[in-house]
Amino acid sequence: MTRTDVPSGAAPGLRDLAARHALLPLRIFLGVTFVYAGLDKLTDSAFLSAGGDGSIGELMRGVRDTSAIPALVDLALKAPVGFAVTLAVGELLVGLGLLAGLLTRIAALGGALIALSLWLTVSWAVTPYYYGNDLIYLMACTPLILAGAPYLSLDSAIRSRRSRRTA
């Protein structure tokens, strides 16, 4: 038996426990960050304006010509306040889903799509590219899209309850 082998019936070791919960810190960090970002936007009256200092409209007009997809910015500029509210509510839902571990893969996909759209618009011109945080959030969502939240989550509780019903 090697050091990492666990005899059947024995309690899992620290390595097994750590491996099983490896994505939990990422899920908590992304969940808190997305909730904070959403609440920050929803409570900032300057941001939720079509124009003026700190507004979504001013931000989008400022990045339009340097974004990878100017048409995406133009679409947001057709209804900047509606776009800002949608973005903020999306961030809030992503964060809550990740924290609770509810529909985790879908929440992480939503987070990745938000990060991708922000990377292609707001932070596209940031140089060097690794200074732009949106790309990092996009990549950080990927493991949760792939693995979900198998432990300490509502997804796992629901899955466990379903398997007990069918057994």
Side-chain angles (χ1 to χ4, degrees):
M1 182 182 314
T2 64
R3 257 173 63 159
T4 58
D5 290 339
V6 177
S8 61
L14 190 55
R15 278 184 185 214
D16 295 326
L17 186 64
R20 210 175 26 243
H21 295 90
L23 292 178
L24 187 59
L26 180 63
R27 204 177 97 212
I28 292 169
F29 170 75
L30 288 173
V32 168
T33 301
F34 273 94
V35 166
Y36 181 83
L39 289 176
D40 189 45
K41 288 175 180 68
L42 288 173
T43 58
D44 184 351
S45 59
F47 181 79
L48 294 176
S49 300
D53 287 342
S55 70
I56 184 67
E58 180 181 301
L59 172 68
M60 298 310 284
R61 282 186 289 280
V63 300
R64 191 222 176 264
D65 294 335
T66 58
S67 73
I69 308 174
L72 195 57
V73 178
D74 290 339
L75 184 63
L77 282 170
K78 288 184 182 201
V81 176
F83 170 74
V85 170
T86 301
L87 175 63
V89 169
E91 288 173 336
L92 190 57
L93 291 174
V94 165
L96 292 173
L98 293 176
L99 285 173
L102 180 62
L103 302 172
T104 307
R105 286 186 167 112
I106 294 169
L109 179 61
L113 291 173
I114 289 170
L116 177 64
S117 67
L118 292 174
W119 177 56
L120 292 173
T121 56
V122 177
S123 61
W124 181 256
V126 173
T127 57
Y129 78 93
Y130 51 82
Y131 281 173
N133 62 343
D134 298 312
L135 181 59
I136 296 164
Y137 287 111
L138 170 62
M139 293 296 110
C141 286
T142 304
L144 296 173
I145 294 169
L146 297 172
Y151 299 99
L152 299 176
S153 66
L154 290 176
D155 288 344
S156 66
I158 292 167
R159 192 171 33 257
S160 174
R161 187 175 174 153
R162 283 184 185 160
S163 65
R164 279 186 298 215
R165 280 190 196 166
T166 59

